[in-house]
Amino acid sequence: MTCAADAARYRELVSRALAEALHGADIPPRLRDAMGYSLRGSGKLLRPCLALAACEMLGGEATDALPVACALEMIHTYSLIHDDLPAMDDDDFRRGRPSNHKVFGEGMAILAGDGLLSFAFETMLDALSLKGNDPDYLAALRAVARGAGIFGMVAGQAVDLDAAEADSGERLDYIHSRKTGAMIRAAVLAGAHIAHADAGQIAALSEFGSLYGLLFQITDDILDVEGSFGGMGKTLGKDQAAHKLTYVNLYGLETAKKMAEEIAAQAQVALEPFGRPAEYFLKLTEDTLRRDH
Ligand code: GRG
């Protein structure tokens, strides 16, 4: 099977499972609508795909990682809903449509995010229970919790909120390794744990996940300058205008592009221990370097 076919299969699996996740849930209809509006938007499903691909690369079944993959997308979606709020990044558009709070109001958008975060953990705990509390499955949950929480994405967002101006590369790395990188790394590690990865495989994939997360963020910063609304589905140029701490603002566009090339090469080296089965990740790294959305 080709990488593109794998990607399409992963997306199909995750989209279907996400559509079913809230179906018929006995919860307030407007809350369900607000959660579903963002969860079933036109996101790339990157984090779920990373988890499924890591699991399969190490000989596991993609379906075993599916609940965790869905949970990753729920957590990612909550973070986007909250990030778009006026108190945070104040964005009116996301994934090519009005942001959640523009449609449902700020209060309901906050609750939709809260609901998705809690539901993500409920989804993973139900799966853990079905797996007889398998310690590797538990390690996957822990990786997700760590990536999403106060040592990961929330920490990065907290520091970003206070960093108005582009100042140091150290602070930039702190923010992005947590705000964007931690969930990406967690997705790869979670899939690997579910496939019962050994310590060496976890170490190599931790390195790959960190490098790939950094590549994703640098290319996101580049696309904030060079991308289009049609491709990215959100307002662009805001970071530039606000002199936000981004790779482009700190190092300049050309240097940021060179950095992306170097990080992509390092990410591919980190995959060497896995040989041919790492083809999906090798191609993904290449595609991310050249991405326009
Ligand atoms: C609210 C705790 C909290 C955190 C918010 C994710 C995030 C942290 C903020 C979003 C803004 C941001 C960091 C953008 C840079 C990279 C990024 C995460 C882009 C969005 O992810 P994609 O491109 O989006 O995977 P889709 O829509 O495809 O899912």
Side-chain angles (χ1 to χ4, degrees), residues 42-47 73 76-84 88-89 91 94-95 148 153-158 160 176 179-180 184 216-217 220-221 232 234 239 291 293:
S42 56
K44 294 184 287 297
L45 303 176
L46 171 68
R47 294 146 195 84
E73 188 62 15
H76 170 61
T77 302
Y78 118 74
S79 80
L80 297 179
I81 295 173
H82 283 192
D83 187 64
D84 289 340
M88 297 238 188
D89 212 31
D91 264 305
R94 173 67 64 181
R95 294 171 168 168
M153 182 174 68
V154 172
Q157 182 79 346
D160 192 28
H176 290 309
K179 188 171 118 168
T180 312
I184 286 178
F216 189 82
Q217 182 61 53
D220 202 80
D221 287 353
M232 298 296 279
K234 62 178 181 181
D239 293 346
R291 75 190 177 113
H293 65 284

Side-chain angles (χ1 to χ4, degrees), residues 17-180:
L18 286 175
E20 280 165 14
L22 287 173
H23 186 76
D26 185 16
I27 59 173
R30 260 178 61 73
L31 176 64
R32 190 175 55 226
D33 290 350
M35 290 165 73
Y37 174 81
S38 293
L39 192 58
R40 294 193 296 274
S42 56
K44 294 184 287 297
L45 303 176
L46 171 68
R47 294 146 195 84
C49 288
L50 289 171
L52 299 187
C55 184
E56 277 197 341
M57 179 176 80
L58 299 179
E61 295 286 335
T63 45
D64 285 340
L66 195 52
V68 172
C70 289
L72 284 159
E73 188 62 15
M74 289 175 200
I75 296 169
H76 170 61
T77 302
Y78 118 74
S79 80
L80 297 179
I81 295 173
H82 283 192
D83 187 64
D84 289 340
L85 288 166
M88 297 238 188
D89 212 31
D90 194 10
D91 264 305
D92 290 354
F93 291 95
R94 173 67 64 181
R95 294 171 168 168
R97 301 190 299 169
S99 305
N100 195 290
H101 67 276
K102 284 280 153 189
V103 179
F104 297 95
E106 284 178 41
M108 194 55 77
I110 292 170
L111 290 173
D114 295 342
L116 284 167
L117 177 59
S118 310
F119 193 45
F121 281 93
E122 191 177 334
T123 302
M124 291 192 292
L125 286 165
D126 286 348
L128 174 68
S129 165
L130 284 174
K131 293 279 171 199
N133 293 332
D134 170 5
D136 283 329
Y137 218 92
L138 189 57
L141 260 78
R142 193 169 194 291
V144 176
R146 184 95 185 174
I150 57 170
F151 300 101
M153 182 174 68
V154 172
Q157 182 79 346
V159 174
D160 192 28
L161 212 53
D162 286 341
E165 294 282 321
D167 53 5
S168 75
E170 209 174 301
R171 195 192 327 228
L172 182 63
D173 289 343
Y174 180 96
I175 292 172
H176 290 309
S177 63
R178 286 162 183 79
K179 188 171 118 168
T180 312

Side-chain angles (χ1 to χ4, degrees), residues 8-22:
R9 180 169 54 88
Y10 296 150
R11 280 197 208 101
E12 172 65 25
L13 271 173
V14 174
S15 306
R16 202 174 310 152
L18 286 175
E20 280 165 14
L22 287 173

